[in-house]
Amino acid sequence: MRAVKDPRKRLLRVLDLLEANLGVPVWDGRKDALEVMVLTILSQNTTDPNALRGYQNLAAKLPAKRATGKDARKLPRDADGQIDKVALRLSNAADAVEPPDWVAVANLSQKELAEYIRAAGLPDSKSGAILALLHWVKDVTGKYSLDAAIEQLGLDASIQALSQLKGIGVKTISVTLIEATGADLCPVDTHVHRILNRLGIVSTGDNRDKTFTLLKPMLPLGRAYSLHHNLLTFGRTVCTAKSPRCGECFLRKLCPQVGVEATSRRSRAG
Ligand code: SF4
């Protein structure tokens, strides 16, 4: 699929329609950057509820010495009282769930940490990334505070240094920065990447980092947070990976993929 001639114009139209139909998500304030980044690492290649389970298991095994008073009952729930998979944001989790004792986590072997976070999947690589992050933060600041590292190095140098750590890529960094600090960025996860390609705003195959790079200069000031969260909701409910609901989609009039997805689904089934 080729990108359209004026992708920014289409992006602005999509932004408007998403906000008209889904509302305007607003950043809900500063959070602990280390907590958000560990949650984001745990969410790689899995669902947010699975990431949350891994995080809660870790915090249950190695509870922080002093409770902060966070309350997991504040997490969004569905009608059955289960974690609401559509509404859940990792930032909700950072706000509602007690973190583990980071000193104790940093002293675990990779194998031990992998056992504690197994519920989030890919335990070997995620445990390596979390330990690399903790050791880097301690080296830079003398304590386990990613906020202090960002403040000390500045945003750009922090991004540069974090992206050198194994298992921590552009998406993980950008999610952490928008949720924890309110940076005006639109992280590109699987939903954002798929939908922008389907809509012809970018044409980037399976290269999510390229989508992030192309999208950045197109974004109108102050609206990246809204775009990111609305695309997440839209990708989970309407423009899903396997069976997009094109018939009831409010973007169908400007989507070059309308009909194509249904046809390719039918031919796969046949
Ligand atoms: S028309 Fe279909 S493919 Fe296009 S954005 Fe809507 S759900 Fe996605």
Side-chain angles (χ1 to χ4, degrees):
M1 163 79 51
R2 262 201 250 144
V4 293
K5 265 196 194 134
D6 189 346
R8 186 166 195 271
K9 189 173 166 200
R10 177 159 297 179
L11 176 72
L12 294 179
R13 186 79 190 111
V14 166
L15 236 168
D16 288 344
L17 284 167
L18 286 168
E19 290 184 350
N21 285 276
L22 302 177
V24 185
V26 178
W27 182 56
D28 53 358
R30 233 186 153 81
K31 289 163 198 74
D32 185 285
L34 183 59
E35 294 172 22
V36 176
M37 185 165 270
V38 171
L39 278 158
T40 309
I41 291 169
L42 291 173
S43 75
Q44 291 167 357
N45 296 97
T46 190
T47 61
D48 287 352
N50 284 346
L52 182 59
R53 278 201 298 138
Y55 189 77
Q56 286 181 301
N57 286 350
L58 180 61
K61 295 281 183 201
L62 302 171
K65 301 226 168 3
R66 252 183 308 155
T68 58
K70 294 182 183 182
D71 185 353
R73 285 173 301 183
K74 287 188 193 155
L75 290 168
R77 306 272 167 180
D78 60 21
D80 301 324
Q82 304 300 315
I83 300 289
D84 186 327
K85 291 180 189 150
V86 174
L88 180 68
R89 302 279 175 262
L90 291 175
S91 57
N92 304 139
D95 261 349
V97 178
E98 289 288 351
D101 179 344
W102 295 119
V103 179
V105 177
N107 284 321
L108 292 174
S109 68
Q110 189 176 340
K111 204 170 157 205
E112 287 169 321
L113 178 54
E115 274 315 305
Y116 292 162
I117 61 168
R118 189 162 290 281
L122 302 175
D124 295 336
S125 59
K126 291 180 183 179
S127 56
I130 292 168
L131 288 174
L133 171 64
L134 290 172
H135 296 156
W136 176 77
V137 163
K138 182 74 170 26
D139 282 349
V140 172
T141 66
K143 54 187 177 180
Y144 292 102
S145 168
L146 180 54
D147 290 295
I150 294 169
E151 197 180 328
Q152 190 174 315
L153 299 179
L155 203 59
D156 289 344
S158 300
I159 294 173
Q160 183 60 31
L162 285 165
S163 63
Q164 304 302 311
L165 301 178
K166 204 165 172 218
I168 299 183
V170 173
K171 184 214 141 193
T172 298
I173 297 168
S174 53
V175 166
T176 301
L177 291 173
I178 66 159
E179 299 299 353
T181 74
D184 195 18
L185 297 169
C186 179
V188 174
D189 75 336
T190 178
H191 297 296
V192 176
H193 178 71
R194 178 181 70 250
I195 298 164
L196 293 181
N197 272 278
R198 280 179 177 169
L199 288 166
I201 292 168
V202 294
S203 176
T204 49
D206 56 6
N207 190 337
R208 283 195 222 171
D209 288 354
K210 193 170 172 197
T211 302
F212 181 78
T213 308
L214 292 177
L215 179 61
K216 206 161 173 267
M218 284 190 236
L219 286 165
L221 207 64
R223 294 181 77 187
Y225 188 88
S226 165
L227 179 69
H228 174 72
H229 281 291
N230 274 341
L231 286 178
L232 250 59
T233 303
F234 184 65
R236 287 168 175 170
T237 54
V238 182
C239 193
T240 52
K242 289 198 183 127
S243 305
R245 296 156 71 180
C246 301
E248 55 197 82
C249 174
F250 54 80
L251 297 180
R252 68 198 307 269
K253 281 197 179 145
L254 43 91
C255 181
Q257 279 299 97
V258 68
V260 176
E261 292 296 333
T263 308
S264 62
R265 254 198 338 277
R266 272 200 301 278
S267 51
R268 277 200 302 274

